[in-house]
Amino acid sequence: MPAVRRIELPGTGPEDVVFGADGLVYTGIDDGRILRVDLPSGVVQTVLNTGGRPLGLCAGTDGSLLICDAHRGLLRWPGTGTAVDVLVDAIEGVPLNMASNVVQDPGDGTIYFTASSRRWPLDQWMGDMLEHSGTGRLLRYSPDGTVDTLLDGLHFANGVAFAPDRASLIVAETGAYRLNRYWLRGPKAGTREVLIDNLPGFPDNIALGSDGLIWVTLASPRNPMLDLLLPQPVLLRKLLWQLPDRLMPAPVRTTWVIAVDQDGTLVHDLQRDGTAYAMVTGVAEAHGTLVLGSLDESALAMTHIPA
């Protein structure tokens, strides 16, 4: 990966990044604010505060913004003012926990979003990794307000993006090192298949780029201790909570994104050491420019696809 340029923010944890209809970049940070960033100048403006913890974002062509908020659920900002509409905050009477990433079909307005875990809050995400109970979901919010579960039992469901032809969705399972395809149309509609298995790191948010490629963030390389523990009984994995923090599995500092085509063929594998920027959890690509977000950093990062 070429060198990155940091764009400092007035807060921490820009977990996802998207280009808005106005050409500016939007991100959410850990104090609840949604920020608008002008890349050339580095000027940052606060747009609103969700009152929760914004994660995945989806920008509409009308200037609106869909927001997955880990505490408040699926939200929509109309593009003006500071108020948000709560679209989904509970499913069948159970509060929606850790809404993670979201996309909207521009054709019929249907919204697809992920929820990472039924059991663990965002600030204890490692608990879901250790327990490996598989309570993540892919959900559909129809224009009439109906919410349906399309996939259940996912190991920390995370990024979601359309394939270039919009016939399927690509869904990241962070805890399984895997990308899945969920067919929306055609003879396989309603079925799931594995697009890429056994990834070398933890896939987080993903995004369809202007280049027609699916960009995937790898927040950290795989952890040997987790690889050893995941096949073991749940009780043994839970004993890990008794270890001191210094012995717990921890992310390795790196800056890493890959891009694949709609068949899962690797096109780009861009990585550099994490001295300047690390734990990349968000990516947006436009005409060769890459904008990166991070769960931990106090900045966005910019780089480009090498020639």
Side-chain angles (χ1 to χ4, degrees), residues 21-296:
D22 53 11
L24 302 176
V25 169
Y26 289 78
T27 189
I29 56 177
D30 62 5
D31 64 4
R33 282 182 288 171
I34 301 293
L35 306 177
R36 179 166 49 211
V37 183
D38 180 75
L39 295 179
S41 68
V43 172
V44 180
Q45 296 176 303
T46 297
V47 174
L48 69 139
N49 194 313
T50 68
R53 201 325 179 178
L55 298 175
L57 307 173
C58 175
T61 56
D62 60 355
S64 65
L65 201 65
L66 292 170
I67 306 165
C68 278
D69 191 292
H71 306 320
R72 299 195 60 201
L74 179 64
L75 314 177
R76 182 182 183 274
W77 177 60
T80 58
T82 58
V84 295
D85 299 318
V86 179
L87 301 183
V88 183
D89 60 2
I91 298 176
E92 297 180 348
V94 179
L96 176 61
N97 181 58
M98 217 194 298
S100 183
N101 203 237
V102 58
V103 291
Q104 184 171 27
D105 190 323
D108 61 15
T110 302
I111 296 169
Y112 302 92
F113 66 104
T114 56
S116 296
S117 174
R118 284 182 173 91
R119 293 175 49 79
W120 296 91
L122 177 63
D123 61 357
Q124 294 180 307
W125 60 269
M126 181 58 77
D128 194 274
M129 295 292 181
L130 297 179
E131 189 177 76
H132 205 58
S133 57
T135 60
R137 291 169 287 176
L138 172 66
L139 302 154
R140 177 177 60 203
Y141 177 83
S142 299
D144 64 4
T146 303
V147 180
D148 298 297
T149 300
L150 302 182
L151 291 176
D152 206 341
L154 301 177
H155 291 287
F156 208 88
N158 212 323
V160 58
F162 281 105
D165 60 4
R166 296 217 314 269
S168 61
L169 292 168
I170 310 303
V171 184
E173 271 188 284
T174 303
Y177 315 111
R178 179 164 59 211
L179 298 182
N180 300 289
R181 185 195 303 277
Y182 180 84
W183 287 99
L184 298 171
R185 301 173 181 87
K188 297 182 181 179
T191 66
R192 163 194 176 184
E193 61 188 38
V194 174
L195 181 69
I196 305 177
D197 211 355
N198 201 28
L199 284 163
F202 294 93
D204 205 287
N205 286 322
I206 63 178
L208 179 62
S210 67
D211 52 10
L213 298 176
I214 299 152
W215 285 88
V216 182
T217 64
L218 294 175
S220 173
R222 289 170 67 149
N223 182 283
M225 182 183 293
L226 278 180
D227 279 355
L228 182 65
L229 284 170
L230 290 185
Q232 304 304 318
V234 173
L235 181 59
L236 183 60
R237 283 182 264 123
K238 287 184 175 180
L239 290 176
L240 215 61
W241 284 116
Q242 309 304 317
L243 293 175
D245 288 346
R246 61 185 174 81
L247 296 179
M248 292 283 283
V252 174
R253 286 188 64 87
T254 188
T255 314
W256 198 359
V257 295
I258 63 173
V260 301
D261 66 18
Q262 68 175 9
D263 297 320
T265 301
L266 183 68
V267 179
H268 299 291
D269 184 354
L270 307 179
Q271 186 179 12
R272 61 185 296 114
D273 72 76
T275 303
Y277 203 79
M279 201 172 185
V280 176
T281 54
V283 60
E285 184 277 337
H287 312 296
T289 294
L290 294 172
V291 183
L292 311 178
S294 168
L295 187 64
D296 288 349

